[in-house]
């Protein structure tokens, strides 16, 4: 009965995700296989093998999120049904594996030890691949440069080689992601029905009720009613330059990876800028990966479906399954141009044929390509006791991320909106987006947040891309440069482009208290009176990579 139930589960999931048909439904599963690590700790894995085949390639999946239920079906049985042996291993300190689960630190040594164990098995035929998104992708990056020639292909989707770095990339803290992930990993093994818990949105709702708690270091107690080691490590080392994270950073290894790399991500994914930077590292090294980018958030079902389809096809090609198709070399980057629904193939990223066009902030809250005339600046007051909220964007919770109506945020007094005239033709934007804002503040530490939106014919404003940077300086007036999320978007004729300027995006980013206290221990708050200049001497603008006419 268990075998029949597992087969039915995998069939339903495969159909829902649009996966290629199974090669077999006869699968042998070995549970709780003990794999020794170099320090004597034992990790557990479930091994799924398609029966009736003399030699099959092996796929290693290392996960902190469990091996049973939907995870076992998706990352174990479904792979075996399509011709691979799947070794689905629980990371150290999770779901029966020994040791303690710490963010990232043991994954390099444990991953390499596991690969050596696989290579020593009598069934291993020299063909090894890895797959998985997010944390499951990070564990691929940390071993790929050292794994040896048997590792033929990896699929690090919606991830980065420096997992902790994305929490502090702005100089602030991506609070919403950090506390929700800490809560998830702290509670998942106590949940009898984890999928139902996720659908019920229980923990994100509980986090939302207390997310304004100060000091932030004690937010774990407010949510979980106890201290959490992973949250404490994040908040106590809230700086990308903190040497604490260096052993877990595999960024410098990316260019040395010789395995074939497949990348899938979304325009609203948590790791998008880092993933594109890693694409460039591989391309510069002469080994550009295949890359797919869609209009998705980090845990959106459509991206999960694309991710699994792309991984299966990539591994089938590079692990040499019979009948596998080759990837055309001239079309290695495939992206959706949001706003049009059109998918476009490029040979590289960023693509040729697009050039930066500056859209300047003007008096009267106008946005236009021409440079501004002499004008008085615009002003607002940012109050950390009532922080500027975020709507949509790169947020872990799929219910709140992606493209969202911005009108409620834009009505606030602490948000400035600069809007273009109605467009007389389409404006297609593909590539990196950068802003430069001339800012004046009466406090020494403040945030600058810039968001680009499209306003439709009915006045609805929806976010396209954004970015935030934390500034600490005793200079009262200065130009502030910030990178927004890369994007691909077609602003349609008859619509308008809008740029928001504010000093917060809470709780995606921790609010700036204005006092310069450390992020974790700060409790005092001070309002910031902000001045945004848009004059010839102090211009402010957003550079959009606009399609150049042929």
């Amino acid at each position: 009965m268990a075998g029949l139930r597992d087969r039915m589960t995998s069939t339903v999931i495969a159909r829902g995700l649009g996966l290629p048909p199974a090669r077999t439904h006869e699968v042998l599963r070995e549970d709780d296989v003990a794999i020794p690590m170099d320090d004597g700790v034992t990790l557990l894995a479930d091994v799924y093998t398609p029966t009736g085949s003399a030699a099959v390639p092996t796929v290693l999946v290392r996960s902190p999120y469990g091996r049973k239920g939907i995870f076992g079906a998706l990352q174990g049985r479904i792979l075996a049904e399509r011709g691979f042996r799947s070794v689905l291993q629980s990371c150290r300190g999770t779901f029966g594996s020994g040791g303690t689960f710490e963010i990232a630190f043991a994954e390099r040594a444990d991953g390499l030890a596991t690969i050596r164990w696989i290579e020593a098995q009598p069934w291993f035929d020299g063909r090894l691949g890895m797959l998985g998104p997010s944390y499951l992708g990070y564990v691929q990056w940390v071993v790929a440069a050292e794994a040896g020639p048997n590792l033929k292909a990896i699929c690090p989707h919606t991830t980065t080689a420096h997992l902790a770095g994305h929490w502090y990339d702005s100089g602030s803290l991506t609070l919403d992601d950090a506390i929700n992930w800490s809560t998830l990993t702290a509670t998942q093994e106590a949940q009898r029905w984890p999928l139902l818990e996720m659908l019920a949105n229980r923990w994100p709702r509980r986090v939302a009720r207390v997310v304004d708690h100060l000091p932030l270091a004690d937010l774990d107690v407010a949510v979980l009613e106890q201290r959490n080691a992973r949250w404490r490590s994040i908040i106590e080392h809230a700086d990308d330059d903190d040497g604490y994270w260096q052993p877990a950073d595999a960024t410098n290894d990316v260019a040395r990876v010789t395995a074939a790399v497949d990348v899938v991500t979304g325009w609203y994914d948590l790791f998008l800028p880092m993933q594109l930077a890693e694409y460039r590292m591989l391309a510069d090294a002469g080994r550009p990966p295949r890359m797919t980018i869609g209009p998705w958030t980090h845990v959106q079902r459509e991206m999960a479906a694309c991710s699994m389809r792309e991984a299966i096809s990539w591994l089938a090609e590079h692990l040499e399954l019979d009948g596998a198709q080759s990837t055309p070399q001239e079309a290695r980057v495939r992206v959706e141009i949001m706003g049009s629904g059109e998918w476009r193939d490029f040979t590289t990223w960023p693509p040729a044929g697009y050039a930066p066009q500056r859209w300047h902030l003007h008096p009267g809250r106008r946005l236009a390509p021409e440079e501004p005339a002499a004008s008085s600046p615009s002003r607002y007051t940012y109050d950390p006791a009532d922080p500027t909220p975020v709507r949509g964007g790169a947020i872990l919770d799929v219910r709140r991320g992606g493209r969202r109506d911005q009108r409620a945020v834009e009505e606030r007094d602490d948000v400035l909106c600069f809007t273009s005239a109605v467009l007389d033709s389409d404006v297609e934007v593909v590539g990196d987006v950068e802003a430069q804002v001339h800012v004046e503040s009466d406090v020494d530490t403040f945030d600058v947040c810039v968001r680009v939106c499209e306003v439709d014919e009915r006045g609805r404003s929806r976010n396209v891309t954004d970015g935030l940077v934390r500034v600490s300086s005793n200079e009262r007036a200065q130009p502030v440069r910030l990178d927004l999320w890369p994007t691909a978007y077609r602003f349609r004729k008859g619509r308008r482009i809008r740029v928001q300027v504010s000093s917060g995006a809470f709780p995606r980013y921790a609010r700036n208290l204005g006092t310069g206290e450390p992020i974790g221990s700060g409790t005092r708050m001070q309002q910031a009176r902000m001045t945004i200049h848009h004059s010839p001497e102090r211009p402010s603008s957003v550079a959009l990579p606009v399609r150049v006419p042929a």
Side-chain angles (χ1 to χ4, degrees):
M1 284 298 294
L4 178 61
R5 182 175 64 247
D6 291 345
R7 175 176 171 176
M8 292 176 61
T9 300
S10 68
T11 299
V12 170
I13 294 173
R15 288 177 179 173
L17 298 181
L19 301 183
R23 295 179 176 224
T24 180
H25 289 293
E26 301 302 319
V27 173
L28 172 66
R29 187 180 80 190
E30 299 176 80
D31 290 337
D32 299 333
V33 176
I35 303 178
M37 298 296 104
D38 294 340
D39 62 354
V41 169
T42 297
L43 306 189
L44 299 184
D46 294 346
V47 180
Y48 293 78
T49 304
T51 59
S53 300
V56 295
T58 300
V59 176
L60 171 61
V61 184
R62 303 192 63 248
S63 172
Y65 305 124
R67 291 171 283 126
K68 308 303 181 184
I70 190 172
F71 301 108
L74 185 61
Q75 295 153 352
R77 185 178 180 91
I78 281 176
L79 290 175
E81 289 176 337
R82 281 148 188 84
F84 307 97
R85 175 181 286 105
S86 172
V87 178
L88 174 53
Q89 182 185 62
S90 289
C91 290
R92 177 177 295 246
T94 68
F95 293 90
S97 287
T100 301
F101 179 46
E102 297 180 294
I103 301 170
F105 291 111
E107 306 307 349
R108 187 190 307 269
D110 288 354
L112 292 173
T114 302
I115 289 172
R116 292 196 302 271
W117 178 87
I118 290 172
E119 291 172 332
Q121 301 310 301
W123 41 254
F124 182 65
D125 69 352
R127 293 178 290 170
L128 177 64
M130 297 182 74
L131 67 74
S134 197
Y135 198 98
L136 287 69
Y138 166 77
V139 301
Q140 298 171 58
W141 278 128
V142 295
V143 301
E146 305 293 339
N150 287 327
L151 183 63
K152 311 295 185 185
I154 62 172
C155 304
H157 295 173
T158 63
T159 192
T160 176
H162 186 18
L163 191 68
H166 89 283
W167 284 316
Y168 319 111
D169 191 47
S170 64
S172 179
L173 167 69
T174 50
L175 172 63
D176 185 84
D177 171 37
I179 187 59
N180 273 292
W181 184 80
S182 299
T183 301
L184 166 67
T185 55
T187 60
Q188 59 181 351
E189 295 193 51
Q191 298 171 10
R192 184 175 180 183
W193 306 104
L195 181 60
L196 293 179
E197 291 275 359
M198 182 178 69
L199 294 174
N201 202 29
R202 176 187 173 193
W203 287 109
R205 285 189 286 110
R206 183 164 180 175
V207 168
R209 288 196 294 267
V210 298
V211 74
D212 58 353
H213 177 86
L214 292 176
L216 280 179
D218 294 334
L219 187 55
D220 54 350
V221 178
V223 176
L224 299 167
E225 299 179 350
Q226 61 182 350
R227 292 166 63 95
N228 176 261
R230 284 177 289 282
W231 170 251
R232 296 282 164 159
S233 65
I234 293 171
I235 202 67
E236 290 171 3
H237 301 278
D239 188 339
D240 190 30
D241 294 328
D242 192 321
Y244 177 84
W245 299 111
Q246 193 279 329
D249 182 2
T251 304
N252 292 334
D253 296 334
V254 170
R256 299 192 296 115
V257 173
T258 57
V261 180
D262 178 69
V263 172
V264 174
T265 187
W267 294 123
Y268 300 102
D269 186 66
L270 304 171
F271 305 107
L272 174 66
M274 291 180 167
Q275 205 151 10
L276 291 176
E278 289 152 5
Y279 169 92
R280 290 169 181 167
M281 293 174 194
L282 285 167
D284 290 345
R287 295 183 293 276
R290 183 176 71 175
M291 182 166 69
T292 305
I293 313 176
W296 309 308
T297 60
H298 188 66
V299 293
Q300 197 164 331
R301 187 192 68 82
E302 292 83 356
M303 182 150 68
C306 176
S307 176
M308 201 63 188
R309 291 194 300 267
E310 294 295 310
I312 289 173
S313 71
W314 190 250
L315 294 173
E317 174 184 350
H318 292 280
L319 301 187
E320 300 179 350
L321 275 184
D322 293 339
Q325 296 182 346
S326 298
T327 301
Q329 295 299 302
E330 67 276 8
R332 299 190 69 92
V333 178
R334 188 166 188 262
V335 308
E336 180 178 304
I337 310 296
M338 295 186 295
S340 70
E342 175 187 340
W343 284 86
R344 188 88 55 80
D345 290 332
F346 297 110
T347 57
T348 189
W349 182 269
Y354 296 83
Q357 181 184 70
R358 289 210 167 268
W359 287 72
H360 292 272
L361 311 189
H362 285 255
R365 305 291 178 86
R366 292 193 309 113
L367 181 74
E370 64 267 14
E371 295 185 1
S375 64
S376 299
S378 300
R379 295 181 170 87
Y380 63 91
T381 298
Y382 171 76
D383 183 1
D386 180 24
T388 312
V390 69
R391 294 288 182 272
I395 295 176
L396 184 62
D397 183 358
V398 69
R399 300 166 183 82
R400 296 183 290 120
R403 294 188 68 204
R404 301 290 171 179
D405 193 335
Q406 300 295 303
R407 286 176 291 181
V409 174
E410 293 173 350
E411 291 173 356
R412 290 175 59 100
D413 293 336
D414 56 359
V415 179
L416 303 180
C417 295
F418 298 83
T419 308
S420 75
V422 173
L423 299 175
D424 57 13
S425 62
D426 290 353
V427 175
E428 185 173 289
V429 173
V430 179
D432 298 332
V433 183
E434 175 257 331
Q436 181 165 287
V437 182
H438 276 257
V439 179
E440 193 170 347
S441 178
D442 66 342
V443 297
D444 292 340
T445 177
F446 55 87
D447 293 349
V448 177
C449 180
V450 174
R451 171 167 280 194
V452 178
C453 305
E454 182 185 60
V455 183
D456 67 15
E457 295 84 350
R458 296 172 57 185
R460 295 174 297 191
S461 176
R462 292 188 175 90
N463 54 300
V464 175
T465 180
D466 56 33
L468 179 143
V469 65
R470 179 151 294 187
V471 180
S472 296
S473 173
N474 55 13
E475 294 184 28
R476 286 295 177 249
Q478 59 188 300
V480 174
R481 183 191 177 281
L482 63 158
D483 294 318
L484 281 62
W485 251 229
T487 194
Y489 196 90
R490 186 178 298 164
F491 294 90
R492 304 306 296 264
K493 176 183 177 181
R495 300 186 173 183
R496 293 175 289 165
I497 301 173
R498 175 169 291 167
V499 171
Q500 299 176 11
V501 180
S502 66
S503 290
F506 185 77
R508 176 178 168 189
Y509 294 98
R511 52 186 161 171
N512 194 321
L513 301 182
T515 58
E517 295 178 277
I519 287 177
S521 59
T523 57
R524 295 186 297 109
M525 291 184 277
Q526 181 177 341
Q527 293 184 358
R529 286 182 284 273
M530 306 294 297
T531 300
I532 306 300
H533 293 274
H534 35 66
S535 65
E537 298 77 22
R538 295 177 176 178
S540 296
S541 62
V542 173
L544 301 177
V546 173
R547 190 174 189 178
V548 178

